[in-house]
Amino acid sequence: MRAAVIEHAGEPIRIEDLTLDGPREGEVAVRMLASGVCHSDLHVRDGDWERPGPIVLGHEGAGVVEAVGSGVESPRAGDLVALSWYAPCHHCAECGKGRDWLCTGSPSLRHRMADGTTRVHRADGGEILAYLSIGTFAERQVVPASAAIPMPDGMSAEAAALIGCCVTTGVGAALKTAELAPGTNVVVLGLGGVGLSIVMGAVIAKARIIVAVDRVPSKLEIARELGATHTVLAGDAATTIEAIKDATDGGPDVAFEAIGLPATIEQAIESLRPGGTAVLVGLTPFGQRASFEAFPLVDGGRRIVGSNYGSAVASVDFPRYAQLYLEGQLPIDRLIDRRIGLADVEATFDRMRRGEGLRSVVMFG
Ligand code: APR
Ligand code: ZN
């Protein structure tokens, strides 16, 4: 099977022909149908995060189950599944509390199967890791069964793929981490797949004012079409904060940062009204720090919260988001502007570095 591999973090992708073993206990084999290209793949590609290699990149995918290993009750062969990039172990204390997104025993942390081995090999037998145990830039993969979530009838593979990362990360940040109440005023900084999904989540939550901010004008247009009530073309920090405060009558109740830059994290915190919450969704390169003035944070009772994977319990939330899509409440298709092949992923990374375009989706077969 063909797959997009990087030898070490920081090196370009190579398309390779690899062998794939069958699924073992607790695993399923998936024929990939679609995989979105997410900024987190670019972080790994650029060496922002240290990751072992060689590794098949990609973590926003959907496909059809071709075979299941022993002991697997769900999914079943033939199911369309959306793949979760954080397979819960179901044994640790966090899983016990129902907080799958904080699982400490997840195989995804090691980019291997639960037994510590890999199913992907080169012709010489050398093992290849799968990013977050799903490595979706591959025609086929074997993944933990707990990472493969069956989709309802009629679901599109492309939309299912995006539920695997940006939709769940963004919609979940709005609905689950922030628990947005009707009438809330929010700002969203950064309008990639994640930020636009936050906008969609804020619309579902019936937020009153939704200010969308990006440095690329075309992103503001699409945010408006998805329900943003105000848009701000990002300029220097002071001007941007001023514009956000103007649009929200003194500052938002909730400010979402969906870029992963210290500068915009600081803008999110600084824009807040008293009592407001900054929800940090974007991931920075390792080791970066952001700062805030302590007095107004304490004096104004403001809060800073991290949101990983939209506080998702994939087995519950993926089907819920798919249902909202089928009912027309979550227009995931609007996030997709290009369908590409595996060989186009590097060019897509270039576009992403420039902030160009919406989600590109690798289509297989
Ligand atoms: N000010 C405003 N907008 C900015 C700025 C800035 N200084 N820098 C970048 N942006 C915008 C880009 O124009 C783009 O629209 O942020 C958006 C980022 O979108 P993508 O690159 O598509 O990223 P996405 O996949 O949505 O992920 C966003 O979440 O999960 C993390 O690792 C991921 O850190 C990344 C973030
Ligand atoms: Zn992602």
Side-chain angles (χ1 to χ4, degrees), residues 35-73:
S35 173
V37 183
C38 172
H39 204 115
S40 294
D41 297 307
L42 178 56
H43 280 302
V44 177
R45 155 68 181 82
D46 283 348
D48 292 342
W49 304 334
E50 230 178 280
R51 291 281 180 264
I55 188 166
V56 177
L57 270 191
H59 66 280
E60 186 175 82
V64 172
V65 176
E66 289 194 310
V68 306
S70 62
V72 175
E73 284 168 16

Side-chain angles (χ1 to χ4, degrees), residues 37-40 43 49 165-166 169 189-195 213-216 219 234 258-261 264 267 281-284 352 354-355 357 359:
V37 183
C38 172
H39 204 115
S40 294
H43 280 302
W49 304 334
C165 187
C166 67
T169 299
L189 292 147
L191 303 171
V194 174
V213 184
D214 203 286
R215 62 178 180 186
V216 176
K219 301 292 177 90
I259 305 164
L261 292 175
T264 43
Q267 289 166 28
V281 183
L283 293 161
T284 65
M352 197 174 255
R354 297 191 294 266
R359 226 37 164 195

Side-chain angles (χ1 to χ4, degrees), residues 74-357:
S74 172
R76 286 180 300 199
D79 284 352
L80 171 68
V81 289
L83 299 178
S84 159
W85 56 249
Y86 205 59
C89 73
H90 293 314
H91 297 298
C92 73
E94 295 301 338
C95 282
K97 290 181 225 164
R99 305 201 297 188
D100 291 23
W101 67 94
L102 297 176
C103 171
T104 54
S106 174
S108 313
L109 294 165
R110 290 170 294 145
H111 316 286
R112 293 169 180 276
M113 295 298 106
D115 67 5
T117 62
T118 71
R119 299 292 160 269
V120 185
H121 305 279
R122 287 197 171 123
D124 66 3
E127 66 173 19
I128 309 277
L129 305 175
Y131 185 39
L132 296 164
S133 307
I134 58 176
T136 59
F137 293 159
E139 292 171 332
R140 290 188 153 72
Q141 267 297 6
V142 169
V143 304
S146 66
I149 311 301
M151 292 282 97
D153 287 347
M155 189 62 190
S156 103
E158 297 167 20
L162 267 57
I163 285 176
C165 187
C166 67
V167 169
T168 293
T169 299
V171 175
L175 298 183
K176 298 196 72 183
T177 312
E179 298 180 297
L180 290 183
T184 308
N185 295 336
V186 311
V187 61
V188 182
L189 292 147
L191 303 171
V194 174
L196 291 170
S197 295
I198 298 172
V199 170
M200 295 195 292
V203 169
I204 289 171
K206 299 195 161 53
R208 188 166 74 89
I209 294 175
I210 303 171
V211 187
V213 184
D214 203 286
R215 62 178 180 186
V216 176
S218 60
K219 301 292 177 90
L220 305 182
E221 276 170 46
I222 168 90
R224 256 196 206 278
E225 288 166 25
L226 290 171
T229 58
H230 299 68
T231 55
V232 172
L233 187 62
D236 64 75
T239 320
T240 305
I241 292 168
E242 190 65 26
I244 293 169
K245 287 188 170 175
D246 277 353
T248 50
D249 198 18
D253 300 303
V254 183
F256 296 92
E257 201 276 353
I259 305 164
L261 292 175
T264 43
I265 289 170
E266 291 170 0
Q267 289 166 28
I269 297 166
E270 218 174 308
S271 72
L272 292 174
R273 73 189 310 107
T277 302
V279 178
L280 309 187
V281 183
L283 293 161
T284 65
F286 285 175
Q288 296 200 345
R289 289 168 175 273
S291 69
F292 58 88
E293 193 185 342
F295 186 90
L297 189 97
V298 179
D299 184 59
R302 296 173 171 89
R303 298 192 300 162
I304 303 171
V305 172
S307 179
N308 188 31
Y309 211 179
S311 305
V313 176
S315 57
V316 176
D317 294 322
F318 281 17
R320 210 159 57 96
Y321 299 148
Q323 202 55 46
L324 287 170
Y325 168 82
L326 290 172
E327 289 165 7
Q329 290 191 62
L330 204 53
I332 298 172
D333 296 331
R334 303 297 311 280
L335 302 180
I336 301 170
D337 68 347
R338 287 196 325 150
R339 287 155 185 86
I340 61 172
L342 271 182
D344 306 318
V345 172
E346 271 292 326
T348 299
F349 284 155
D350 285 335
R351 288 162 56 90
M352 197 174 255
R353 288 189 191 95
R354 297 191 294 266
E356 275 174 37

